[in-house]
Amino acid sequence: METSAALTGIRLTSSICPSRLSSPFLSPAFPPNRSLSLKLHKQFPSTSHNVLEASSLLRPSASVSPTYSEAIELADIDWDNLGFGIQPTDYMYFAKCDQGGTFSKGELKRFGNIELNPSAGVLNYGQGLFEGLKAYRKEDGNILLFRPEENALRMKMGAERMCMPSPSVEQFVEAVKDTVLANRRWIPPQGKGSLYIRPLLMGSGAVLGLAPAPEYTFLIYVSPVGNYFKEGLSPINLIVENDLHRATPGGTGGVKTIGNYAAVLKAQSAAKAKGYSDVLYLDCVHKRYLEEVSSCNIFVVKGNIISTPSIKGTILPGITRKSIIDVAQSQGFQVEERLVSVDELVDADEVFCTGTAVVVSPVGSVTYLGKKVSYGDGIGKVSQQLYSVLTRLQMGLAEDTLNWTVELR
């Protein structure tokens, strides 16, 4: 069965047979005994408060039958106990592109498994990238995205490094908007979490010899999430890894390629088995300078100075990192991007991590070569201040004077 509707130039389809709609892995928006017919009788225009507004026309999004109106009520899940895990939602976005070409207009399909050739470039040679961003529900029910154009630009940078075509910034942002609106019933109530958005770019074409894949897929799926660390905003405990390394100069540590994350699993698993929350990595040349945590950037506070490792090709240029630097400076802090020695952890007043998943996560202790350094007995003042300012902005509780948010109605 297949149905379609105009969704900002994107087809909305269902290619799953009725018998599969009851699968526990699909969690469909519609009960299996209801029609999936989609009609253009309502519009969900999206509005932007950022620089993309001038170049992106507000085209009508998909509107559907009254059956769908029921479906966009909040999903029936325990919002008070959301962890950071996959929750199957309703729709995912697909677009295809041949090597050297441009991405076609995408389509929204029911969430479910995808099919790949065993010789796909992403499976054999790791030719893949991903991004991560969030959608928040405001008090008035509208939805906020946080700096999606930054994710689009970072994907373009990573795609160039990995010899892949990438969607334009406008197509990326519009695809994110459409995917979020199609899954809006999965966005947690304000204060209960967020909708995590995972764009993927991968070499889906078959290739046997080592070479760029002949075809690429741009895919977006979403999942409602709570806190990344089980501690929530409570301080986490890190251990410094002295032997294994996340990235090397000249490698791909500065782009969000999938291989960067498999490389940290061994050290991370060993750390968690010992009771630590995560691993803090050092540079692989001197084994002295801080780089980042497995999936977060790191900041060190001393007095009014906040220091963070400079971006030099082995550290991911985090969007939350970039935002926290601007927020900290606006709050009167001096921010230094430089080489930060592991020895500076001993004298630090506070240490915290930043990332899309964690936002700001205070560090309670760091263990290095068997020596544990603790920071206070709770959430540090600076960490709490920066977390509050940024999350209030992300959730629409504070005025966005920086034009960082994109509002969807």
Side-chain angles (χ1 to χ4, degrees), residues 229-231 237-242 244 264-281 293-294 367:
F229 290 116
K230 61 178 174 40
E231 296 91 340
N237 300 297
L238 302 177
I239 183 170
V240 177
E241 175 57 49
N242 199 49
L244 300 177
V264 307
L265 296 178
K266 184 176 178 65
Q268 187 188 63
S269 298
K272 290 187 175 183
K274 295 176 182 178
Y276 297 101
S277 307
D278 215 326
V279 176
L280 174 57
Y281 290 89
V293 182
S294 299
T367 300

Side-chain angles (χ1 to χ4, degrees), residues 385-400:
Q385 180 178 344
L386 297 178
Y387 173 85
S388 297
V389 172
L390 187 59
T391 54
R392 284 179 58 81
L393 179 61
Q394 290 175 328
M395 293 188 290
L397 298 174
E399 182 183 0
D400 179 15

Side-chain angles (χ1 to χ4, degrees), residues 200-213:
L200 293 168
L201 181 63
M202 54 187 167
S204 51
V207 56
L208 187 58
L210 179 58

Side-chain angles (χ1 to χ4, degrees), residues 18-97:
S19 63
R20 291 192 61 198
L21 290 178
S22 59
S23 166
F25 302 105
L26 295 180
S27 187
F30 311 108
N33 61 349
R34 293 188 180 181
S35 169
L36 291 179
S37 298
L38 306 179
K39 299 178 181 178
L40 292 171
H41 81 282
K42 186 188 294 182
Q43 292 184 343
F44 295 103
S46 55
T47 57
S48 169
H49 295 306
N50 67 8
V51 295
L52 294 170
E53 188 169 15
S55 61
S56 176
L57 296 176
L58 299 180
R59 294 167 290 179
S61 292
S63 55
V64 297
S65 68
T67 302
Y68 188 82
S69 297
E70 295 176 14
I72 63 173
E73 297 298 324
L74 286 182
D76 184 19
I77 63 176
D78 186 359
W79 299 110
D80 292 318
N81 292 293
L82 276 179
F84 197 91
I86 184 65
Q87 166 68 57
T89 50
D90 295 328
Y91 291 98
M92 55 187 181
Y93 174 97
F94 270 87
K96 295 279 189 179
C97 177

Side-chain angles (χ1 to χ4, degrees), residues 132-151:
L133 62 158
K134 289 178 176 178
Y136 294 86
R137 190 180 296 276
K138 293 178 61 183
E139 288 180 323
D140 61 8
N142 289 347
I143 301 161
L144 284 183
L145 303 176
F146 185 70
R147 308 190 78 175
E149 74 284 354
E150 291 289 339
N151 295 91

